[in-house]
Amino acid sequence: MIEERQPIRVALLGCGTVGTEVVRLLHEYPAEYAARTGAPVHVTGVAVRRPHKHPEVPERLLTTDPATLVEGDADVVVELIGGIEPARSLLLRALRAGKSVVTANKALLAEHGSELYAAADENGADIYFEAAVAGAIPLLRPLRESLAGDRINRVMGIVNGTSNYILSAMDATGAGYAETLEEAGRLGYAEADPTADVDGFDAASKAAILASLAFHTRVTASDVHREGISGVGAGEIQAARALDRTVKLLAICERVLDEDGTEAVSARVHPAMIPREHPLAGVSGAFNAVFVEAESAGQLMFYGQGAGGAPTASAVLGDLVAAARNVVVSGKGPRESAHAQLPARSMDHTPTRYHMSLDVADKPGVLSQVAATFNEHDVSISVVRQEGRGEDASLVVVTHTASDAALRSTVEKVAQLPSVHEVVSVMRVEGERS
Ligand code: HSE
């Protein structure tokens, strides 16, 4: 009888919207969790800062001291505090005591993943973190397990719902960034302090985790080139529209070849124009989607809710069941694999494509001066569109692929040409053949 088996004891650190859902579901469906796990799953403690704010949690479970839970008799510690400390120290203590860990903490994993994975390995414990990237979407387990026999070459996705909501709204209404951000805050789609989301920190942590898993290597947040969406204005959205494209904040992780033929990994987060027919273009509002390209599997797309209490609780509980099953059979889940040890390639050396919109004088020779500047930097032009407006003209240039450094220098030089009045917008282009 499953009910007679020794229960799996679960300590929860942090109990916000996700933790509350986790506790509620464990209490609502105990027989199902017991059947799936092979033993009853009991929450034996919940560490919070203000116990009186948690009437939904039985009072006997609440504590303000997470260290006692970590040092107690829990089999699995679920960490939903977020941030680096005290989460890092608490999880290291749990792992060193042989307790398995489930965490949604992307910033911690992106900075200190290798320390935590080593502690798990050395002590025969598991560390699961499906909720750390793209909320409810089963993405990390497919990368870590289902695709472990394949060779992934590229992962490109929308992994931040807040910035995707803002860009989708700007695309739909034509409004500017500041007013759309304000509206998103009013409607509850953006945090009171939206910095981590709109400046790309959240997506960069997720990109580091994705790149590490996809390419069996170690990538930290500091290896990820990061640009947020605050520089995207109504002009950029309009310029994208004119070319039947839309703007998305993308996390892109690629396996790339260095000049000497050795493999490296490039990870970056920045806004980019993608064609409207690209599968990621249709991902709007607060949704997430990740496109994976693997050698044998081909193209795969993962789509769903990337945030929120219930969706994130789904991922946490899936991990909890996996960790608890391993405790029941005295087994261990898959360990982290970083055997490839790929060096991180800098953004300067990453191949990209640019879209550039210029205000120029409409007189003979201007187009050839602009084209000559591209030529000097060995950047090949793919599309040129010019529209006269009296004495001035609007000039749009889309390049073929070149190193990001060459493209940036080209933009700087073009901006200095006397016939160029203004560089109206510059944005990278993704999702199409170069
Ligand atoms: N703040 C994130 C987002 C969700 O806006 O997608 C948590 O990772």
Side-chain angles (χ1 to χ4, degrees):
M1 288 286 288
I2 288 169
E3 286 72 20
E4 287 164 10
R5 295 240 177 105
Q6 180 83 359
I8 301 299
R9 291 156 306 216
V10 180
L12 199 63
L13 313 182
C15 196
T17 50
V18 179
T20 303
E21 264 308 282
V22 168
V23 173
R24 184 184 74 75
L25 289 163
L26 285 172
H27 285 150
E28 193 164 335
Y29 305 110
E32 291 193 27
Y33 288 108
R36 291 175 198 176
T37 298
V41 180
H42 289 177
V43 176
T44 54
V46 180
V48 294
R49 264 186 298 184
R50 291 181 288 270
H52 65 279
K53 296 245 174 186
H54 298 273
E56 72 289 355
V57 179
E59 205 179 330
R60 69 190 154 77
L61 298 180
L62 289 167
T63 173
T64 52
D65 183 5
T68 40
L69 290 186
V70 165
E71 279 154 17
D73 62 0
D75 300 295
V76 184
V77 172
V78 177
E79 185 267 313
L80 300 169
I81 305 173
I84 306 296
E85 287 295 353
R88 173 181 158 272
S89 303
L90 289 166
L91 293 191
L92 284 172
R93 266 155 96 169
L95 292 166
R96 286 172 186 153
K99 299 175 200 305
S100 289
V101 159
V102 172
T103 177
N105 193 332
K106 62 224 150 212
L108 178 62
L109 293 163
E111 280 303 320
H112 299 281
S114 44
E115 189 182 21
L116 292 162
Y117 306 146
D121 256 2
E122 284 156 17
N123 295 284
D126 282 330
I127 178 161
Y128 284 101
F129 46 92
E130 185 64 67
V133 182
I137 308 172
L139 171 63
L140 303 191
R141 197 167 279 116
L143 290 177
R144 198 189 201 193
E145 298 179 38
S146 321
L147 292 163
D150 206 334
R151 204 176 143 78
I152 296 172
N153 290 320
R154 198 161 199 263
V155 178
M156 176 164 95
I158 295 166
V159 293
N160 184 267
T162 306
S163 50
N164 198 52
Y165 175 87
I166 292 168
L167 292 174
S168 302
M170 287 171 72
D171 188 57
T173 63
Y177 171 73
E179 58 181 298
T180 310
L181 171 62
E182 205 183 303
E183 177 75 356
R186 240 192 330 267
L187 297 173
Y189 286 102
E191 305 266 355
D193 178 1
T195 312
D197 294 316
V198 299
D199 287 349
F201 291 100
D202 174 81
S205 293
K206 291 167 177 171
I209 296 170
L210 289 173
S212 301
L213 288 179
F215 307 127
H216 301 267
T217 190
R218 280 281 169 265
V219 176
T220 62
S222 55
D223 296 322
V224 181
H225 173 84
R226 179 189 54 78
E227 291 171 34
I229 61 166
S230 58
V232 180
E236 278 74 20
I237 300 282
Q238 183 49 40
R241 271 193 166 276
L243 290 173
D244 211 20
R245 292 177 173 120
T246 186
V247 177
K248 295 289 183 192
L249 182 72
L250 298 178
I252 304 170
C253 311
E254 292 173 300
R255 191 192 287 280
V256 287
L257 277 185
D258 271 335
E259 274 144 28
D260 63 0
T262 56
E263 281 192 345
V265 56
S266 156
R268 52 199 164 103
V269 167
H270 56 71
M273 290 184 184
I274 56 172
R276 285 208 181 256
E277 71 269 14
H278 191 281
L280 290 178
V283 178
S284 61
F287 277 77
N288 283 189
V290 177
F291 207 67
V292 176
E293 293 174 41
E295 224 158 272
S296 304
Q299 298 182 328
L300 303 160
M301 182 148 146
F302 300 81
Y303 171 80
Q305 295 188 68
T312 310
S314 164
V316 169
L317 285 162
D319 281 355
L320 178 56
V321 169
R325 278 178 181 154
N326 295 338
V327 175
V328 169
V329 299
S330 302
K332 188 168 163 7
R335 61 196 293 264
E336 292 315 304
S337 141
H339 67 85
Q341 295 186 358
L342 301 178
R345 181 183 271 192
S346 73
M347 191 63 190
D348 277 357
H349 294 101
T350 295
T352 58
R353 297 180 65 195
Y354 273 32
H355 167 286
M356 209 184 296
S357 173
L358 310 169
D359 238 359
V360 297
D362 196 1
K363 58 183 189 193
V366 171
L367 197 53
S368 69
Q369 278 170 21
V370 172
T373 312
F374 280 80
N375 188 28
E376 277 160 27
H377 291 84
D378 212 17
V379 173
S380 171
I381 291 172
S382 164
V383 177
V384 180
R385 277 194 192 169
Q386 185 176 327
E387 209 175 294
R389 290 183 308 218
E391 297 199 339
D392 292 344
S394 154
L395 183 62
V396 169
V397 180
V398 183
T399 72
H400 282 298
T401 301
S403 76
D404 204 72
L407 288 162
R408 248 190 353 263
S409 311
T410 311
V411 173
E412 275 165 28
K413 280 280 154 43
V414 165
Q416 288 163 11
L417 292 173
S419 48
V420 172
H421 298 155
E422 192 190 350
V423 176
V424 180
S425 75
V426 179
M427 189 163 293
R428 297 187 185 89
V429 176
E430 289 291 335
E432 57 195 278
R433 289 188 196 288
S434 59

